[in-house]
């Protein structure tokens, strides 16, 4: 589409496909929601693989997950313009 930027909320939780997992992961959701069908990893990969470049603004909902968010971005730094 014509959107130049995407804003998305990041929090810690579980995927709907793996809700019984013991380990929470970074998901795309706004607290108090803690279950999502989209992980941060999948969100980043989808946006970065899209044929038209988009800016991303991540709204990190807890300081506790900031380091993990930065690591997820850092793993993809070669794909970030």
């Amino acid at each position: 589409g014509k959107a130049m930027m995407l804003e998305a909320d990041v929090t810690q939780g579980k995927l709907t496909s793996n809700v019984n997992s013991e380990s929470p992961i970074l998901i795309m959701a706004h607290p108090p929601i803690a279950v999502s069908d989209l992980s941060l990893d999948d969100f980043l990969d989808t946006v970065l693989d899209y044929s038209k470049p988009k800016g991303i603004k991540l709204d990190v909902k807890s300081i506790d997950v900031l380091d993990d968010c930065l690591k997820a971005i850092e793993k993809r730094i070669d794909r970030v313009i």
Side-chain angles (χ1 to χ4, degrees):
K2 295 181 180 184
M4 295 175 59
M5 293 286 298
L6 299 173
E7 186 272 337
D9 298 325
V10 181
T11 192
Q12 195 171 42
K14 298 186 179 188
L15 290 175
T16 53
S17 62
N18 199 11
V19 77
N20 293 324
S21 169
E22 291 187 26
S23 309
I25 63 167
L26 297 180
I27 60 169
M28 308 312 291
H30 190 285
I33 297 171
V35 177
S36 175
D37 62 352
L38 185 60
S39 69
L40 174 62
D41 287 332
D42 288 344
F43 174 80
L44 291 173
D45 289 338
T46 299
V47 174
L48 292 172
D49 290 343
Y50 190 64
S51 61
K52 298 176 184 171
K54 303 288 179 191
I56 301 171
K57 175 189 175 242
L58 296 176
D59 189 353
V60 180
K61 294 300 182 180
S62 169
I63 193 72
D64 297 333
V65 300
L66 181 59
D67 283 342
D68 288 337
C69 284
L70 293 173
K71 288 176 187 171
I73 296 166
E74 192 173 34
K75 284 195 302 189
R76 295 161 175 85
I77 199 70
D78 60 319
R79 296 164 51 202
V80 175
I81 299 173

